Amino acid sequence: MKSKISVALCTYNGEKFIQKQLDSIVNQTITVDEIILCDDCSKDNTVNIINKYTEKYPSLFKLFINETNLKSNANFEKAIQLTTGDYIFLADQDDVWRNDKVEKTLAIFNKNKKAEGVFSNANFIDENDNRIYDKLTLWEFVSFFENENFNPKNIKKLLINKGNYLTGATLCIKKEVKAFSIPFKTGDDFIHDEWLAFQLANRETLYYSTENLISYRIHQNQQLGLGNVNKISRIRKQNLNSYNLILENKKPNSFKDYKITTRAYFFQYNKYKKLNEKYNSNIFSEIKEMLLVKYIEDDKKMKKCNPILYFFRKMKDKKKGKRIL
């Protein structure tokens, strides 16, 4: 029996690029069965464009227009809840899917029976669909340096110790994920894609495709941009060093190394502290305490490495109100 494939796509003032994204989803080598679109009170021509697709493909497209602006987290939660498929692909309004994205993603699920979620890498395109930053992929930007020895335990460790690397626009989840991930538990520094990554990584059911299965569009009006991509490219080596320290592939042996680990551990500690205060969750509390221990241990080792630099760093932190327990 063929699995039913759903797409959860959220829109807001997306008239400029939505048509190209919808065409890329419709023209997959393995066809999707439903496209759930939740529009978040667009003020442009987005809804009219979508209505043309619903008229052309009445059994495929289902449009829901929010009464009030829900913002991204709540809107994706709504869209996912409305899906009825066995596999649910998340999609942004301004990207473009490779025509075999569904096929390649399902292949990862079929190869890894334990998988409940699969994400992928992506290349970058500009407003005119031209490939840009040829030597930089989405994973390099988010400091996800995949290698052959990477496994579900490392996926969890990296997520907790350093932060999110999963872009929701590349993610597909099984329908069973809805039961344990909804309602979303999000915060200012913990949005819906990190919440889903957290849930799946904690269950060790998060897998990935190394291929660039979407083209991630860089433009002025996107909600989550990349900032100075050229600068990110220049500091790739630094990001890789940080990645290996956080995964404990490399042992810190300098003041600079401990600066990297303590900065990461404290940021993550503060994030989970806020989440625990908001949701009073045992798992957030446990992670918060674990990160606090890591921070204190490496902070002591950093002081031992160079007491003078440590003193000035603490003075600077105190002045700026950073890393204060």
Side-chain angles (χ1 to χ4, degrees):
M1 182 178 178
K2 180 183 179 295
S3 297
K4 184 176 181 179
I5 300 167
S6 298
V7 177
L9 199 163
C10 294
T11 60
Y12 177 70
N13 292 346
E15 64 177 5
K16 189 171 183 179
F17 304 113
I18 185 64
Q19 185 170 339
K20 290 178 180 178
Q21 171 68 308
L22 295 180
D23 286 343
S24 75
I25 296 172
V26 169
N27 296 314
Q28 288 289 301
T29 56
I30 294 180
T31 57
V32 304
D33 298 289
E34 68 173 6
I35 302 173
I36 303 296
L37 296 112
C38 289
D39 185 79
D40 213 15
C41 304
S42 290
K43 299 178 178 63
D44 63 1
N45 202 39
T46 300
V47 171
N48 290 332
I49 293 172
I50 295 171
N51 280 333
K52 292 179 181 179
Y53 282 83
T54 60
E55 291 171 5
K56 186 176 181 179
Y57 307 97
S59 63
L60 178 60
F61 285 86
K62 298 179 178 66
L63 172 62
F64 299 86
I65 301 175
N66 299 334
E67 294 182 3
T68 59
N69 185 272
L70 298 179
K71 305 295 184 184
S72 181
N73 291 333
N75 202 22
F76 266 106
E77 181 178 333
K78 176 182 176 180
I80 291 170
Q81 283 182 301
L82 289 168
T83 60
T84 61
D86 301 297
Y87 294 92
I88 305 162
F89 286 80
L90 278 61
D92 286 351
Q93 65 185 4
D94 45 10
D95 300 327
V96 177
W97 285 13
R98 210 170 80 179
N99 72 336
D100 59 351
K101 171 180 165 64
V102 171
E103 180 182 347
K104 292 290 187 178
T105 303
L106 294 182
I108 302 295
F109 278 109
N110 292 332
K111 183 179 178 180
N112 303 280
K113 298 303 181 182
K114 188 181 176 182
E116 293 179 312
V118 172
F119 66 102
S120 77
N121 202 350
N123 56 260
F124 297 115
I125 56 173
D126 63 15
E127 295 191 3
N128 299 311
D129 301 333
N130 298 313
R131 176 79 181 268
I132 54 177
Y133 311 121
D134 287 343
K135 296 181 180 180
L136 179 69
T137 68
L138 181 62
W139 281 2
E140 289 174 308
F141 167 71
V142 297
S143 298
F144 184 75
F145 298 99
E146 184 272 341
N147 59 62
E148 291 182 2
N149 297 319
F150 213 75
N151 58 53
K153 290 189 185 334
N154 279 340
I155 282 181
K156 179 180 178 181
K157 183 187 292 185
L158 184 64
L159 185 74
I160 290 173
N161 290 355
K162 192 173 190 300
N164 191 35
Y165 46 76
L166 186 152
T167 301
T170 72
L171 178 64
C172 175
I173 58 175
K174 285 185 175 179
K175 65 179 180 181
E176 290 79 9
V177 174
K178 291 193 282 187
F180 59 80
S181 67
I182 296 176
F184 289 174
K185 293 180 179 178
T186 57
D188 293 338
D189 299 316
F190 195 79
I191 60 175
H192 68 278
D193 47 7
E194 186 166 4
W195 164 247
L196 289 168
F198 175 83
Q199 289 286 80
L200 294 164
N202 192 54
R203 293 165 63 89
E204 297 185 6
T205 59
L206 182 59
Y207 289 75
Y208 55 80
S209 167
T210 58
E211 298 186 70
N212 298 337
L213 296 184
I214 73 166
S215 293
Y216 186 96
R217 192 182 300 277
I218 306 297
H219 62 91
Q220 291 182 338
N221 297 322
Q222 67 195 127
Q223 182 182 6
L224 294 174
L226 291 178
N228 190 330
V229 180
N230 288 323
K231 182 179 178 181
I232 295 295
S233 183
R234 288 197 302 270
I235 62 174
R236 182 183 186 279
K237 185 176 180 180
Q238 180 181 328
N239 288 343
L240 182 56
N241 181 54
S242 172
Y243 172 90
N244 283 317
L245 287 168
I246 293 301
L247 275 178
E248 299 170 351
N249 294 333
K250 175 184 176 183
K251 186 177 179 180
N253 58 15
S254 68
F255 184 85
K256 184 178 180 180
D257 285 348
Y258 284 116
K259 276 184 67 176
I260 291 171
T261 60
T262 54
R263 186 184 296 119
Y265 293 151
F266 190 88
F267 179 83
Q268 290 297 100
Y269 158 75
N270 199 45
K271 178 197 293 184
Y272 284 100
K273 180 175 178 285
K274 290 177 182 177
L275 288 167
N276 185 55
E277 289 170 351
K278 184 176 182 179
Y279 296 106
N280 192 26
S281 165
N282 286 338
I283 191 164
F284 288 153
S285 178
E286 290 172 5
I287 292 172
K288 174 199 71 169
E289 294 303 321
M290 178 197 71
L291 288 164
L292 180 59
V293 169
K294 285 177 175 287
Y295 169 74
I296 291 173
E297 287 179 351
D298 277 17
D299 189 67
K300 289 178 180 177
K301 292 175 183 177
M302 180 170 61
K303 182 179 182 180
K304 190 175 181 179
C305 266
N306 194 319
I308 296 174
L309 287 179
Y310 179 86
F311 171 79
F312 284 110
R313 183 174 194 250
K314 287 298 179 180
M315 290 291 290
K316 186 177 180 180
D317 282 351
K318 185 176 181 180
K319 185 177 180 180
K320 293 187 175 182
K322 290 184 176 181
R323 289 176 283 276
I324 306 298
L325 292 175

